[in-house]
Amino acid sequence: MLDSALSLFLQGRNFARLMEGLWVTLEISAVSVLLSMVLGILVGLMMISRNPWVRTPPRFYLEFIRVIPILVLLYLFYYFPARNWDLNLDAKVVAVLVFTLWGAAEMADLVRGALTSMPVHQRESGRAVGLTEVQINRYIIIPQAVRRLIPGVINLTTRMIKTTPFIFFINVPELTKVGQQIVEVAGMRNYLASFWVYGFIFFLYFIICYPISLFSLYLEKKWSN
Amino acid sequence: MTALKPVLKITDLHKQYDQLKVIQGLSLEVKKGQVLVVIGPSGCGKSTLLRCINGLEPIQSGDIELNGDSITSGRARWNLVRQKIGMVFQSYDLFPHMNVMENILLGPLKAQGRKRPEAEAEAEALLDRVGLLDRKNSYPRQLSGGQKQRVAIVRALCMNPEIMLFDEVTASLDPEMVREVLDVILGLAERGMTMIIVTHEMAFARAVADKIIFMDQGVIVESAPPEQFFEQPVSERARKFLNIFHFDGVKKEETHNVENN
C-alpha cells in the first residue's frame, strides 16, 4: 500500500509540483493577509471617525464584500477588465487583490469592534493621570485593542489560507489544483491516488494553520494573567 | 496665612448638555487641607462638577482657578493641569493589561517624566499605607472591588496632586468593601490632603467633611459645617433630602397608628 504512495510522489515531478503549489498558496496567503492587516487597520479607524463622510463609505464597502461570494469577485476582476478594457491582469495579482479586498473589510470590522468595545473610562482614567492623547493611545488603548484583536485576526488568517483553493478557478496553480491534476493523471492506474494526494494536502494545510492557532493560544494565555 | 489661600476657586460655573442645564452659576472655594463633601440627589450636577474641574467636560462659562491660575482659559494645557488634580472614579478604572505597580507608575513615569526608582519607592510606600504592598505584582482582575479602588486611589496619589477628587468611589462596591476604601480617604484627610468628595455615604460625609456642600438642580443650595448641616439644615430641600436616609421604626404594635395616618 505504501508502494502506491511512494510511486505516486516519486513519479515525474509530482512531489516538486505539490511543493510549488504549496509555495503559491503560501505566497498569495501571506501577501494578502499582510496587506489586509495594514489596510484593515486604516479602514477600521475610518469607521470610528466622527465625520459621517469618512465613516459611511467603509460601511458600504464592508457590506458589499460580505454579500458577494469570493468566486464572483475573482471572476469579476479576472475577466471584466480583460474583456472590456483589454487589461489582462495576472491571475496571481487578481488573487491577491480579491483576497485583500475581502481580508481588509473583515479586518476593518474587527478593528472597529476592538476599539468601540473599549470602555470610555479607560481613556478618561488616562487623562486623569495627566497623559496626553498620544500617550493614552500608545500605552492604554492600542495594547488593549491588540489583545482584543488577536483571536479574530488569527481566525481570519486561517480562513483566508483555507479559502485560497478558490483561485484555481482563475487558473492559478495553487496546492489543491496541482493535487487535482496529479490525481487526474495517476488515478486511472493507482486507485489510492486521491487518498494519498488529498491526504497529503490535508496534512500540509494542517501544518500551516495549526501553528498559527497555537500561537494565538499562547498569546491568549500570556495575556490572560 | 497661607492656609487661607484657596487651592481651587470656582466662579460662576455654567455647564449644559445641549439644552439641559446641569450646573447653573456655581461658585466655591477650597482651601489647602480642606475637605469638601458634595451631596445631593441624583442628577443634581455633583459628578459633573468634578468632571468640569478635571477638564473632562467642556464648560459654557465661568472660571476655575488652581492655585490662582485659571485653568479654563484657552491656554491651559489640560494634561499638565490634570497632573495636579487627582481623580478617582466610581468604576475603579485600572488598566487591565498592566499589573498594580505598572498602573500606578504610568502617570509618574510617562506624564511627569520621573525616574523609576524614586517613583517606585513612593508607589510602594503608598501601597503599604493602603495595605496592598503584597499585591503590587497582581493584575486588576485578581483584586476585589475594594482593593481595585484602593489601587486607583494610590494611582492618583502617586502623582502628588494638589487636590483629590472622589466621584462616588464606593457606589459600586459591596457593603463590606466600602469601609476599607473610606478608611483610606479618612487617612488622607488626617494627613491634610485637600479633597472634594462626592458621596452618598452620609455617616462618612459627616466624619470626613470640613464643609458639606448640598447641591440640587445645578446650584449650591446649602453650604455648612457637617454638624450644622446634618442637625439643623436650613433649606427645605436639604431637609427633604436628609429624610430619605432616615427610617422611622415601624413596630408591630404601631401598625395600627400608621394605618390611621
Side-chain angles (χ1 to χ4, degrees):
Chain A
M1 190 174 155
L2 270 175
D3 290 349
S4 71
L6 280 175
S7 67
L8 188 66
F9 289 120
L10 294 177
Q11 194 175 50
R13 292 189 66 251
N14 279 359
F15 188 76
R17 283 174 66 206
L18 279 172
M19 288 300 113
E20 283 161 17
L22 174 66
W23 177 248
V24 172
T25 293
L26 286 177
E27 198 182 12
I28 288 179
S29 305
V31 175
S32 307
V33 166
L34 284 177
L35 286 176
S36 297
M37 303 288 122
V38 176
L39 290 173
I41 290 170
L42 293 177
V43 177
L45 291 175
M46 285 171 69
M47 284 172 125
I48 56 167
S49 164
R50 285 197 200 95
N51 184 342
W53 292 104
V54 177
R55 194 175 59 208
T56 314
R59 290 237 69 107
F60 280 102
Y61 160 59
L62 176 64
E63 291 307 317
F64 177 78
I65 294 296
R66 269 192 180 153
V67 296
I68 299 183
I70 289 291
L71 192 53
V72 174
L73 284 174
L74 283 170
Y75 281 155
L76 187 71
F77 281 89
Y78 191 55
Y79 293 113
F80 189 83
R83 293 268 164 83
N84 294 276
W85 306 319
D86 209 23
L87 178 67
N88 284 299
L89 291 174
D90 182 63
K92 278 191 191 174
V93 172
V94 172
V96 168
L97 186 70
V98 168
F99 274 77
T100 302
L101 271 178
W102 169 43
E106 299 247 355
M107 180 69 188
D109 208 36
L110 291 173
V111 170
R112 185 196 58 78
L115 289 173
T116 51
S117 66
M118 198 76 62
V120 64
H121 275 114
Q122 287 290 313
R123 187 172 284 281
E124 290 192 341
S125 292
R127 287 184 188 146
V129 290
L131 297 175
T132 62
E133 296 301 308
V134 173
Q135 287 174 324
I136 292 170
N137 286 330
R138 176 163 166 206
Y139 296 113
I140 300 171
I141 305 297
I142 293 174
Q144 289 187 64
V146 168
R147 283 160 167 77
R148 280 159 201 241
L149 269 176
I150 288 296
V153 169
I154 297 291
N155 178 283
L156 176 62
T157 304
T158 50
R159 265 163 59 223
M160 285 175 76
I161 292 171
K162 66 188 190 185
T163 309
T164 50
F166 270 127
I167 63 182
F168 88 52
F169 286 104
I170 56 169
N171 306 317
V172 179
E174 53 72 58
L175 183 58
T176 311
K177 178 71 181 173
V178 173
Q180 190 212 17
Q181 287 168 344
I182 292 172
V183 171
E184 266 176 19
V185 174
M188 305 292 282
R189 286 164 285 120
N190 190 338
Y191 67 101
L192 279 175
S194 59
F195 173 77
W196 288 121
V197 172
Y198 291 128
F200 184 58
I201 289 173
F202 162 85
F203 172 74
L204 289 177
Y205 278 110
F206 180 79
I207 59 168
I208 301 168
C209 293
Y210 189 59
I212 299 174
S213 293
L214 281 184
F215 180 62
S216 165
L217 276 177
Y218 161 77
L219 287 181
E220 275 177 55
K221 214 176 225 169
K222 185 181 157 198
W223 287 336
S224 72
N225 40 63
Chain B
M1 208 172 125
T2 52
L4 290 175
K5 189 178 164 235
V7 173
L8 184 82
K9 186 177 176 191
I10 299 173
T11 317
D12 198 28
L13 179 70
H14 285 262
K15 163 74 191 171
Q16 59 186 62
Y17 295 107
D18 297 325
Q19 295 307 307
L20 182 68
K21 289 177 177 156
V22 190
I23 295 177
Q24 313 182 51
L26 181 147
S27 302
L28 64 78
E29 279 187 18
V30 192
K31 296 186 181 66
K32 191 157 177 53
Q34 202 178 26
V35 178
L36 251 61
V37 173
V38 184
I39 61 177
S42 301
C44 71
K46 52 195 193 303
S47 288
T48 306
L49 171 64
L50 293 192
R51 294 173 60 81
C52 289
I53 295 172
N54 209 9
L56 293 173
E57 299 285 349
I59 63 170
Q60 272 64 49
S61 67
D63 192 29
I64 303 173
E65 285 174 29
L66 186 68
N67 285 329
D69 296 324
S70 171
I71 55 177
T72 42
S73 68
R75 293 175 294 110
R77 290 184 54 196
W78 274 110
N79 63 313
L80 298 182
V81 171
R82 290 188 189 117
Q83 293 176 16
K84 297 180 194 154
I85 305 176
M87 181 153 182
V88 184
F89 300 88
Q90 175 181 335
S91 50
Y92 34 83
D93 297 283
L94 300 180
F95 308 125
H97 60 302
M98 298 178 179
N99 68 22
V100 167
M101 186 51 86
E102 290 165 342
N103 259 280
I104 297 168
L105 291 184
L106 187 63
L109 297 186
K110 303 301 177 192
Q112 295 179 320
R114 285 157 63 184
K115 293 275 174 287
R116 181 175 272 273
E118 168 266 327
E120 199 165 326
E122 183 177 5
E124 285 184 352
L126 288 168
L127 276 176
D128 194 28
R129 214 158 96 197
V130 302
L132 288 174
L133 186 54
D134 57 331
R135 304 312 297 269
K136 68 176 179 178
N137 294 319
S138 301
Y139 281 84
R141 80 193 64 191
Q142 298 165 324
L143 304 178
S144 71
Q147 290 173 327
K148 283 186 219 176
Q149 198 57 291
R150 283 184 278 159
V151 172
I153 293 173
V154 169
R155 183 173 69 181
L157 282 176
C158 206
M159 304 286 294
N160 297 312
E162 307 269 338
I163 182 168
M164 287 281 286
L165 312 176
F166 292 91
D167 187 8
E168 299 192 37
V169 289
T170 58
S172 56
L173 294 180
D174 291 338
E176 66 265 33
M177 300 188 170
V178 168
R179 184 65 199 227
E180 64 189 48
V181 173
L182 296 184
D183 280 341
V184 168
I185 302 175
L186 275 169
L188 292 179
E190 280 167 16
R191 285 163 174 261
M193 174 60 77
T194 314
M195 297 188 276
I196 304 181
I197 301 168
V198 168
T199 185
H200 286 296
E201 304 282 340
M202 291 304 141
F204 169 69
R206 192 168 178 164
V208 77
D210 293 316
K211 196 181 192 183
I212 300 281
I213 304 281
F214 175 68
M215 277 181 77
D216 193 14
Q217 293 172 2
V219 293
I220 296 177
V221 177
E222 202 166 330
S223 162
E227 294 74 26
Q228 189 188 324
F229 177 80
F230 285 107
E231 302 293 337
Q232 294 133 359
V234 180
S235 64
E236 179 62 26
R237 276 192 279 180
R239 271 200 293 275
K240 270 190 179 163
F241 178 75
L242 287 173
N243 270 336
I244 301 168
F245 297 92
H246 184 73
F247 293 92
D248 290 315
V250 182
K251 297 201 181 82
K252 283 266 161 56
E253 54 268 31
E254 290 169 356
T255 315
H256 176 72
N257 286 336
V258 172
E259 278 174 357
N260 278 348
N261 288 338

